[in-house]
Amino acid sequence: ARAADGLDGAAPPPDVDLGTPSIARLYDYVLGGKEHFEVDRRAADALYEAVPETSQLAKDNRNHLRRAVQWLVREAGIRQIVDLGSGLPTVGNVHELAQAVDPGVHVVYVDNDPLVLAHGRALLSDETTTTVITADVREPETIFADPRTAELIDLQQPYAVIAASILHHLDDDVAYDVAARIRAQLHSGCYVLISNFLDDDEPRAKELERAFLEGGLGTGRFRTWAEQRRFYDGLEMVEPGLVYANDWKPDHLTPTESRVHTLYAAGVARKP
Ligand code: SAM
């Protein structure tokens, strides 16, 4: 691996593994960012080979995330957000979108990739409203009990949990369990935002899943509608429900001709 690529010549933090592809860096690569290494690009090649429009999947997801965050802050009145598996900083970060509506929104970013922490810290000049912590989303209780979360999030007040493009990187048993444990944390009036690769019974979903699982990354589950509905068990779906990501309250910036429209599902739900 070229040790310095993506970091403007700076050495990567010592805990960054250049020999294994990272989800955060691969995702940054397909989004057109610059925080990736040879090993990530090679894993991405396997995806492009299976579905040449793979980068549009990431864009459709980011576009849904933008609309849903804007909706949560503008329409649902949410002022506190915990973003699980938040990823590397990109164009239109959650805190920027939310704080453009109300500068007082508090955001806690959570990721287990060391590069996310390094770059997140650099990006956040004002840690009074936003912070980034390193933790494992497979232990949601630990995240909610973390004093750094408590500094910014008053768990007695309404908040939203974002699990965008993260549950599909967890094994089936783990993903349903994590979703249930997140739901158990929420009190009435809290929201979750979930987006996930979709198996809508078309061959491309299976081919891309194989490329994710066997092409180096090792994770990336395409789940059916029925499987994804389980994530929202006991919650009230916000209109229009669990839908193709681009069909969730589309606006003038939403892709209308995405060729991967049927490969991504998303929803927002409220704890009654
Ligand atoms: N949420 C962002 C979005 O939707 O645009 C980024 C999604 S990115 C595909 C998935 C992120 O989850 C990566 O940054 C990765 O490092 C992180 N991640 C994967 N497994 C994780 C885990 N067990 N705990 C915390 N973060 C994890």
Short mmCIF file of all heavy atoms in Angstrom, two decimals, residues 81-85 110 136-144 155 159-168 170 173-188 190-195 230-235 269-272:
data_model
loop_
_atom_site.label_atom_id
_atom_site.label_comp_id
_atom_site.label_asym_id
_atom_site.label_seq_id
_atom_site.Cartn_x
_atom_site.Cartn_y
_atom_site.Cartn_z
N ILE A 81 -28.81 13.96 18.24
CA ILE A 81 -28.63 12.85 17.29
C ILE A 81 -27.42 12.01 17.68
O ILE A 81 -26.35 12.55 17.97
CB ILE A 81 -28.43 13.39 15.85
CG1 ILE A 81 -29.66 14.17 15.39
CG2 ILE A 81 -28.10 12.26 14.88
CD1 ILE A 81 -29.49 14.89 14.05
N VAL A 82 -27.60 10.69 17.72
CA VAL A 82 -26.49 9.76 17.89
C VAL A 82 -26.35 9.00 16.57
O VAL A 82 -27.28 8.30 16.15
CB VAL A 82 -26.75 8.77 19.05
CG1 VAL A 82 -25.56 7.83 19.23
CG2 VAL A 82 -27.05 9.51 20.35
N ASP A 83 -25.22 9.17 15.91
CA ASP A 83 -25.02 8.63 14.57
C ASP A 83 -24.08 7.43 14.66
O ASP A 83 -22.86 7.59 14.84
CB ASP A 83 -24.43 9.74 13.67
CG ASP A 83 -24.32 9.32 12.21
OD1 ASP A 83 -24.70 8.16 11.88
OD2 ASP A 83 -23.86 10.14 11.40
N LEU A 84 -24.64 6.22 14.55
CA LEU A 84 -23.86 4.99 14.74
C LEU A 84 -23.25 4.52 13.42
O LEU A 84 -23.95 4.33 12.44
CB LEU A 84 -24.78 3.89 15.28
CG LEU A 84 -25.51 4.18 16.61
CD1 LEU A 84 -26.44 3.03 16.97
CD2 LEU A 84 -24.50 4.43 17.73
N GLY A 85 -21.95 4.32 13.40
CA GLY A 85 -21.26 3.95 12.16
C GLY A 85 -21.30 5.13 11.22
O GLY A 85 -21.77 5.05 10.09
N VAL A 110 -20.36 8.08 16.19
CA VAL A 110 -19.76 6.85 16.74
C VAL A 110 -19.25 5.99 15.59
O VAL A 110 -20.00 5.71 14.64
CB VAL A 110 -20.82 6.04 17.53
CG1 VAL A 110 -20.18 4.79 18.12
CG2 VAL A 110 -21.48 6.89 18.61
N ASP A 136 -17.96 0.46 19.53
CA ASP A 136 -18.48 -0.61 18.69
C ASP A 136 -20.01 -0.60 18.74
O ASP A 136 -20.58 -0.72 19.82
CB ASP A 136 -17.93 -1.95 19.19
CG ASP A 136 -18.13 -3.05 18.17
OD1 ASP A 136 -19.20 -3.08 17.52
OD2 ASP A 136 -17.22 -3.88 18.02
N VAL A 137 -20.65 -0.46 17.60
CA VAL A 137 -22.12 -0.39 17.58
C VAL A 137 -22.74 -1.71 18.03
O VAL A 137 -23.93 -1.75 18.33
CB VAL A 137 -22.68 -0.01 16.19
CG1 VAL A 137 -22.09 1.28 15.69
CG2 VAL A 137 -22.48 -1.12 15.19
N ARG A 138 -21.93 -2.76 18.10
CA ARG A 138 -22.49 -4.03 18.58
C ARG A 138 -22.73 -3.99 20.08
O ARG A 138 -23.31 -4.91 20.63
CB ARG A 138 -21.54 -5.19 18.20
CG ARG A 138 -21.60 -5.47 16.69
CD ARG A 138 -20.51 -6.41 16.26
NE ARG A 138 -19.21 -5.79 16.38
CZ ARG A 138 -18.07 -6.31 15.90
NH1 ARG A 138 -18.10 -7.47 15.28
NH2 ARG A 138 -16.93 -5.68 16.05
N GLU A 139 -22.27 -2.90 20.72
CA GLU A 139 -22.51 -2.72 22.16
C GLU A 139 -23.25 -1.40 22.38
O GLU A 139 -22.70 -0.47 22.99
CB GLU A 139 -21.18 -2.72 22.92
CG GLU A 139 -20.42 -4.04 22.86
CD GLU A 139 -21.20 -5.19 23.46
OE1 GLU A 139 -22.07 -4.94 24.32
OE2 GLU A 139 -20.96 -6.34 23.05
N PRO A 140 -24.49 -1.29 21.91
CA PRO A 140 -25.16 0.02 21.99
C PRO A 140 -25.33 0.54 23.41
O PRO A 140 -25.22 1.75 23.63
CB PRO A 140 -26.53 -0.23 21.33
CG PRO A 140 -26.66 -1.69 21.13
CD PRO A 140 -25.30 -2.31 21.23
N GLU A 141 -25.52 -0.36 24.37
CA GLU A 141 -25.71 0.12 25.76
C GLU A 141 -24.48 0.89 26.23
O GLU A 141 -24.60 1.88 26.96
CB GLU A 141 -25.96 -1.06 26.72
CG GLU A 141 -27.23 -1.86 26.44
CD GLU A 141 -27.04 -2.91 25.36
OE1 GLU A 141 -25.89 -3.10 24.90
OE2 GLU A 141 -28.05 -3.52 24.95
N THR A 142 -23.29 0.40 25.83
CA THR A 142 -22.05 1.05 26.23
C THR A 142 -21.99 2.47 25.68
O THR A 142 -21.54 3.40 26.33
CB THR A 142 -20.84 0.23 25.69
OG1 THR A 142 -21.08 -1.13 25.98
CG2 THR A 142 -19.54 0.69 26.27
N ILE A 143 -22.47 2.62 24.45
CA ILE A 143 -22.45 3.94 23.81
C ILE A 143 -23.39 4.90 24.54
O ILE A 143 -23.03 6.04 24.82
CB ILE A 143 -22.84 3.80 22.32
CG1 ILE A 143 -21.76 3.01 21.57
CG2 ILE A 143 -23.07 5.18 21.68
CD1 ILE A 143 -22.17 2.49 20.22
N PHE A 144 -24.57 4.41 24.90
CA PHE A 144 -25.53 5.29 25.56
C PHE A 144 -25.10 5.60 27.00
O PHE A 144 -25.47 6.63 27.54
CB PHE A 144 -26.94 4.69 25.52
CG PHE A 144 -27.53 4.77 24.14
CD1 PHE A 144 -27.51 3.68 23.28
CD2 PHE A 144 -28.09 5.95 23.67
CE1 PHE A 144 -28.03 3.77 21.99
CE2 PHE A 144 -28.61 6.05 22.40
CZ PHE A 144 -28.58 4.96 21.55
N LEU A 155 -30.59 11.95 27.63
CA LEU A 155 -31.39 10.79 27.20
C LEU A 155 -32.83 10.85 27.71
O LEU A 155 -33.65 10.02 27.30
CB LEU A 155 -30.70 9.49 27.65
CG LEU A 155 -29.35 9.20 26.97
CD1 LEU A 155 -28.68 7.98 27.58
CD2 LEU A 155 -29.52 9.01 25.46
N TYR A 159 -34.51 12.15 21.19
CA TYR A 159 -33.29 12.11 20.36
C TYR A 159 -33.52 11.15 19.21
O TYR A 159 -34.50 10.38 19.21
CB TYR A 159 -32.06 11.71 21.19
CG TYR A 159 -32.15 10.37 21.88
CD1 TYR A 159 -31.68 9.21 21.27
CD2 TYR A 159 -32.73 10.25 23.15
CE1 TYR A 159 -31.77 7.98 21.90
CE2 TYR A 159 -32.81 9.02 23.79
CZ TYR A 159 -32.34 7.89 23.16
OH TYR A 159 -32.44 6.67 23.78
N ALA A 160 -32.64 11.21 18.22
CA ALA A 160 -32.73 10.28 17.09
C ALA A 160 -31.45 9.47 17.03
O ALA A 160 -30.36 9.99 17.28
CB ALA A 160 -32.93 11.04 15.79
N VAL A 161 -31.60 8.19 16.71
CA VAL A 161 -30.45 7.32 16.48
C VAL A 161 -30.38 7.03 14.99
O VAL A 161 -31.39 6.63 14.38
CB VAL A 161 -30.58 6.00 17.27
CG1 VAL A 161 -29.43 5.06 16.93
CG2 VAL A 161 -30.63 6.27 18.77
N ILE A 162 -29.22 7.25 14.42
CA ILE A 162 -29.03 6.95 12.99
C ILE A 162 -28.23 5.65 12.88
O ILE A 162 -27.18 5.51 13.52
CB ILE A 162 -28.26 8.09 12.29
CG1 ILE A 162 -29.06 9.39 12.37
CG2 ILE A 162 -27.95 7.72 10.85
CD1 ILE A 162 -28.35 10.58 11.73
N ALA A 163 -28.76 4.73 12.09
CA ALA A 163 -28.01 3.51 11.75
C ALA A 163 -28.06 3.40 10.23
O ALA A 163 -28.77 2.58 9.66
CB ALA A 163 -28.62 2.29 12.43
N ALA A 164 -27.33 4.30 9.58
CA ALA A 164 -27.36 4.37 8.11
C ALA A 164 -26.23 3.53 7.55
O ALA A 164 -25.06 3.74 7.89
CB ALA A 164 -27.22 5.82 7.64
N SER A 165 -26.59 2.57 6.74
CA SER A 165 -25.60 1.78 6.02
C SER A 165 -24.62 1.09 6.98
O SER A 165 -23.43 1.01 6.70
CB SER A 165 -24.82 2.72 5.09
OG SER A 165 -24.31 1.99 4.00
N ILE A 166 -25.13 0.66 8.11
CA ILE A 166 -24.26 0.00 9.08
C ILE A 166 -24.76 -1.40 9.43
O ILE A 166 -23.97 -2.34 9.52
CB ILE A 166 -24.05 0.87 10.35
CG1 ILE A 166 -23.38 0.09 11.49
CG2 ILE A 166 -25.35 1.47 10.88
CD1 ILE A 166 -21.97 -0.20 11.25
N LEU A 167 -26.08 -1.59 9.55
CA LEU A 167 -26.57 -2.92 9.94
C LEU A 167 -26.22 -3.98 8.90
O LEU A 167 -26.03 -5.15 9.23
CB LEU A 167 -28.09 -2.89 10.20
CG LEU A 167 -28.54 -2.02 11.38
CD1 LEU A 167 -30.07 -2.00 11.47
CD2 LEU A 167 -27.93 -2.52 12.69
N HIS A 168 -26.12 -3.57 7.63
CA HIS A 168 -25.79 -4.59 6.61
C HIS A 168 -24.32 -5.03 6.69
O HIS A 168 -23.92 -5.97 6.01
CB HIS A 168 -26.18 -4.14 5.20
CG HIS A 168 -25.60 -2.86 4.73
ND1 HIS A 168 -26.35 -1.94 4.03
CD2 HIS A 168 -24.38 -2.33 4.83
CE1 HIS A 168 -25.59 -0.91 3.74
NE2 HIS A 168 -24.40 -1.11 4.21
N LEU A 170 -23.20 -6.00 9.56
CA LEU A 170 -23.24 -6.91 10.71
C LEU A 170 -23.91 -8.21 10.30
O LEU A 170 -24.86 -8.20 9.50
CB LEU A 170 -24.02 -6.28 11.87
CG LEU A 170 -23.54 -4.89 12.34
CD1 LEU A 170 -24.41 -4.38 13.49
CD2 LEU A 170 -22.07 -4.91 12.76
N ASP A 173 -27.60 -12.49 12.85
CA ASP A 173 -28.00 -12.58 14.26
C ASP A 173 -27.62 -11.31 15.01
O ASP A 173 -28.38 -10.78 15.83
CB ASP A 173 -27.39 -13.83 14.92
CG ASP A 173 -25.89 -13.95 14.69
OD1 ASP A 173 -25.39 -13.34 13.72
OD2 ASP A 173 -25.21 -14.62 15.48
N VAL A 174 -26.44 -10.77 14.69
CA VAL A 174 -25.96 -9.56 15.37
C VAL A 174 -26.83 -8.35 14.98
O VAL A 174 -27.23 -7.56 15.83
CB VAL A 174 -24.48 -9.30 15.03
CG1 VAL A 174 -23.97 -8.05 15.75
CG2 VAL A 174 -23.62 -10.50 15.37
N ALA A 175 -27.13 -8.23 13.71
CA ALA A 175 -27.87 -7.05 13.22
C ALA A 175 -29.25 -6.94 13.86
O ALA A 175 -29.65 -5.86 14.33
CB ALA A 175 -27.99 -7.10 11.70
N TYR A 176 -29.99 -8.04 13.92
CA TYR A 176 -31.34 -8.00 14.51
C TYR A 176 -31.25 -7.72 16.00
O TYR A 176 -32.06 -6.98 16.56
CB TYR A 176 -32.10 -9.30 14.25
CG TYR A 176 -32.32 -9.56 12.78
CD1 TYR A 176 -31.85 -10.72 12.17
CD2 TYR A 176 -32.98 -8.62 11.98
CE1 TYR A 176 -32.03 -10.94 10.82
CE2 TYR A 176 -33.15 -8.83 10.62
CZ TYR A 176 -32.67 -10.00 10.05
OH TYR A 176 -32.84 -10.20 8.71
N ASP A 177 -30.22 -8.30 16.63
CA ASP A 177 -30.03 -8.09 18.06
C ASP A 177 -29.66 -6.63 18.35
O ASP A 177 -30.22 -6.01 19.26
CB ASP A 177 -28.93 -9.05 18.55
CG ASP A 177 -28.66 -8.90 20.03
OD1 ASP A 177 -29.62 -9.01 20.80
OD2 ASP A 177 -27.49 -8.66 20.42
N VAL A 178 -28.76 -6.08 17.56
CA VAL A 178 -28.35 -4.68 17.77
C VAL A 178 -29.55 -3.76 17.55
O VAL A 178 -29.80 -2.83 18.33
CB VAL A 178 -27.18 -4.30 16.83
CG1 VAL A 178 -26.99 -2.79 16.74
CG2 VAL A 178 -25.89 -4.96 17.32
N ALA A 179 -30.33 -4.02 16.50
CA ALA A 179 -31.52 -3.19 16.23
C ALA A 179 -32.47 -3.25 17.42
O ALA A 179 -33.02 -2.23 17.86
CB ALA A 179 -32.21 -3.63 14.95
N ALA A 180 -32.65 -4.44 17.97
CA ALA A 180 -33.56 -4.59 19.12
C ALA A 180 -33.04 -3.85 20.34
O ALA A 180 -33.79 -3.23 21.09
CB ALA A 180 -33.74 -6.08 19.45
N ARG A 181 -31.73 -3.91 20.52
CA ARG A 181 -31.14 -3.23 21.69
C ARG A 181 -31.18 -1.72 21.53
O ARG A 181 -31.34 -0.99 22.51
CB ARG A 181 -29.72 -3.76 21.92
CG ARG A 181 -29.75 -5.18 22.50
CD ARG A 181 -28.48 -5.95 22.25
NE ARG A 181 -27.34 -5.42 22.97
CZ ARG A 181 -26.09 -5.85 22.79
NH1 ARG A 181 -25.82 -6.79 21.90
NH2 ARG A 181 -25.11 -5.33 23.49
N ILE A 182 -31.07 -1.24 20.31
CA ILE A 182 -31.24 0.21 20.07
C ILE A 182 -32.68 0.60 20.38
O ILE A 182 -32.94 1.57 21.10
CB ILE A 182 -30.88 0.58 18.61
CG1 ILE A 182 -29.39 0.39 18.35
CG2 ILE A 182 -31.31 2.03 18.30
CD1 ILE A 182 -28.98 0.51 16.90
N ARG A 183 -33.64 -0.18 19.88
CA ARG A 183 -35.06 0.13 20.13
C ARG A 183 -35.36 0.15 21.63
O ARG A 183 -36.15 0.96 22.10
CB ARG A 183 -35.97 -0.89 19.43
CG ARG A 183 -35.96 -0.82 17.93
CD ARG A 183 -37.13 -1.61 17.33
NE ARG A 183 -37.22 -3.00 17.75
CZ ARG A 183 -36.60 -4.02 17.15
NH1 ARG A 183 -35.86 -3.80 16.09
NH2 ARG A 183 -36.75 -5.25 17.60
N ALA A 184 -34.69 -0.76 22.35
CA ALA A 184 -34.93 -0.84 23.80
C ALA A 184 -34.44 0.41 24.53
O ALA A 184 -34.94 0.75 25.59
CB ALA A 184 -34.26 -2.09 24.37
N GLN A 185 -33.45 1.09 23.93
CA GLN A 185 -32.92 2.32 24.55
C GLN A 185 -33.89 3.49 24.40
O GLN A 185 -33.88 4.41 25.21
CB GLN A 185 -31.61 2.74 23.86
CG GLN A 185 -30.45 1.80 24.07
CD GLN A 185 -29.86 1.93 25.46
OE1 GLN A 185 -29.84 3.01 26.05
NE2 GLN A 185 -29.39 0.83 26.01
N LEU A 186 -34.66 3.47 23.32
CA LEU A 186 -35.47 4.65 22.98
C LEU A 186 -36.64 4.80 23.93
O LEU A 186 -37.22 3.82 24.38
CB LEU A 186 -36.03 4.50 21.55
CG LEU A 186 -35.03 4.20 20.43
CD1 LEU A 186 -35.78 4.04 19.11
CD2 LEU A 186 -33.98 5.30 20.33
N HIS A 187 -37.00 6.05 24.23
CA HIS A 187 -38.25 6.28 24.96
C HIS A 187 -39.23 6.93 24.00
O HIS A 187 -38.87 7.29 22.86
CB HIS A 187 -38.00 7.14 26.20
CG HIS A 187 -37.39 8.47 25.92
ND1 HIS A 187 -38.11 9.55 25.45
CD2 HIS A 187 -36.11 8.90 26.02
CE1 HIS A 187 -37.31 10.58 25.29
NE2 HIS A 187 -36.08 10.21 25.62
N SER A 188 -40.45 7.06 24.43
CA SER A 188 -41.49 7.59 23.56
C SER A 188 -41.09 8.95 23.00
O SER A 188 -40.65 9.82 23.75
CB SER A 188 -42.79 7.71 24.38
OG SER A 188 -43.75 8.36 23.58
N CYS A 190 -38.70 9.30 20.65
CA CYS A 190 -37.39 9.16 19.99
C CYS A 190 -37.58 8.52 18.61
O CYS A 190 -38.57 7.84 18.35
CB CYS A 190 -36.46 8.27 20.81
SG CYS A 190 -35.92 9.00 22.36
N TYR A 191 -36.59 8.74 17.76
CA TYR A 191 -36.67 8.23 16.38
C TYR A 191 -35.46 7.37 16.04
O TYR A 191 -34.39 7.55 16.63
CB TYR A 191 -36.69 9.39 15.39
CG TYR A 191 -37.99 10.15 15.35
CD1 TYR A 191 -38.27 11.13 16.30
CD2 TYR A 191 -38.93 9.89 14.37
CE1 TYR A 191 -39.46 11.84 16.27
CE2 TYR A 191 -40.13 10.59 14.32
CZ TYR A 191 -40.39 11.56 15.27
OH TYR A 191 -41.57 12.25 15.24
N VAL A 192 -35.64 6.46 15.07
CA VAL A 192 -34.49 5.81 14.44
C VAL A 192 -34.56 6.02 12.93
O VAL A 192 -35.65 6.10 12.35
CB VAL A 192 -34.40 4.27 14.66
CG1 VAL A 192 -33.96 3.94 16.05
CG2 VAL A 192 -35.67 3.57 14.28
N LEU A 193 -33.39 6.10 12.35
CA LEU A 193 -33.25 6.21 10.89
C LEU A 193 -32.39 5.02 10.49
O LEU A 193 -31.29 4.86 11.02
CB LEU A 193 -32.55 7.53 10.57
CG LEU A 193 -32.21 7.93 9.14
CD1 LEU A 193 -31.68 9.37 9.13
CD2 LEU A 193 -31.23 7.04 8.42
N ILE A 194 -32.90 4.19 9.60
CA ILE A 194 -32.14 3.00 9.18
C ILE A 194 -32.10 2.93 7.65
O ILE A 194 -33.11 3.16 6.98
CB ILE A 194 -32.79 1.71 9.75
CG1 ILE A 194 -32.78 1.73 11.28
CG2 ILE A 194 -32.05 0.46 9.24
CD1 ILE A 194 -33.52 0.58 11.94
N SER A 195 -30.92 2.63 7.12
CA SER A 195 -30.84 2.32 5.68
C SER A 195 -29.99 1.09 5.50
O SER A 195 -29.05 0.85 6.27
CB SER A 195 -30.27 3.51 4.90
OG SER A 195 -29.03 3.90 5.41
N ARG A 230 -38.13 -6.20 10.28
CA ARG A 230 -37.84 -6.61 11.66
C ARG A 230 -37.07 -5.56 12.44
O ARG A 230 -37.16 -5.50 13.66
CB ARG A 230 -37.02 -7.91 11.65
CG ARG A 230 -37.81 -9.12 11.22
CD ARG A 230 -36.94 -10.37 11.18
NE ARG A 230 -36.33 -10.72 12.47
CZ ARG A 230 -35.43 -11.70 12.63
NH1 ARG A 230 -35.06 -12.41 11.60
NH2 ARG A 230 -34.93 -11.94 13.82
N PHE A 231 -36.29 -4.72 11.74
CA PHE A 231 -35.51 -3.69 12.43
C PHE A 231 -36.42 -2.69 13.16
O PHE A 231 -35.99 -2.01 14.08
CB PHE A 231 -34.65 -2.90 11.44
CG PHE A 231 -33.55 -3.71 10.78
CD1 PHE A 231 -33.17 -3.45 9.47
CD2 PHE A 231 -32.87 -4.69 11.48
CE1 PHE A 231 -32.15 -4.17 8.87
CE2 PHE A 231 -31.84 -5.41 10.88
CZ PHE A 231 -31.48 -5.15 9.57
N TYR A 232 -37.66 -2.57 12.69
CA TYR A 232 -38.56 -1.52 13.19
C TYR A 232 -39.65 -2.07 14.10
O TYR A 232 -40.63 -1.38 14.38
CB TYR A 232 -39.22 -0.80 12.00
CG TYR A 232 -38.25 -0.23 11.00
CD1 TYR A 232 -37.84 -0.98 9.89
CD2 TYR A 232 -37.75 1.06 11.15
CE1 TYR A 232 -36.95 -0.45 8.96
CE2 TYR A 232 -36.86 1.59 10.23
CZ TYR A 232 -36.47 0.83 9.13
OH TYR A 232 -35.60 1.35 8.20
N ASP A 233 -39.47 -3.29 14.54
CA ASP A 233 -40.50 -3.97 15.32
C ASP A 233 -40.99 -3.12 16.50
O ASP A 233 -40.18 -2.66 17.32
CB ASP A 233 -39.91 -5.30 15.82
CG ASP A 233 -40.99 -6.21 16.36
OD1 ASP A 233 -42.14 -6.08 15.90
OD2 ASP A 233 -40.69 -7.00 17.27
N GLY A 234 -42.27 -2.87 16.56
CA GLY A 234 -42.83 -2.13 17.70
C GLY A 234 -42.76 -0.62 17.54
O GLY A 234 -43.18 0.12 18.43
N LEU A 235 -42.23 -0.13 16.42
CA LEU A 235 -42.13 1.31 16.19
C LEU A 235 -43.20 1.76 15.20
O LEU A 235 -43.74 0.96 14.44
CB LEU A 235 -40.75 1.68 15.65
CG LEU A 235 -39.54 1.25 16.49
CD1 LEU A 235 -38.25 1.68 15.82
CD2 LEU A 235 -39.62 1.81 17.91
N ALA A 269 -38.48 5.80 11.82
CA ALA A 269 -39.59 5.36 12.68
C ALA A 269 -39.50 6.03 14.04
O ALA A 269 -38.43 6.48 14.46
CB ALA A 269 -39.56 3.84 12.84
N ARG A 270 -40.65 6.07 14.71
CA ARG A 270 -40.77 6.76 15.99
C ARG A 270 -41.21 5.77 17.05
O ARG A 270 -42.06 4.91 16.80
CB ARG A 270 -41.83 7.85 15.83
CG ARG A 270 -42.09 8.68 17.04
CD ARG A 270 -43.18 9.71 16.70
NE ARG A 270 -43.48 10.52 17.87
CZ ARG A 270 -44.27 10.13 18.84
NH1 ARG A 270 -44.88 8.95 18.80
NH2 ARG A 270 -44.48 10.92 19.88
N LYS A 271 -40.60 5.89 18.21
CA LYS A 271 -41.05 5.03 19.32
C LYS A 271 -42.35 5.63 19.88
O LYS A 271 -42.38 6.79 20.29
CB LYS A 271 -39.97 5.03 20.41
CG LYS A 271 -40.35 4.21 21.62
CD LYS A 271 -39.70 2.84 21.59
CE LYS A 271 -39.61 2.24 22.99
NZ LYS A 271 -38.63 1.16 23.07
N PRO A 272 -43.43 4.84 19.85
CA PRO A 272 -44.72 5.40 20.30
C PRO A 272 -44.75 5.61 21.82
O PRO A 272 -43.94 5.04 22.54
CB PRO A 272 -45.73 4.34 19.88
CG PRO A 272 -44.97 3.10 19.60
CD PRO A 272 -43.52 3.45 19.40
#
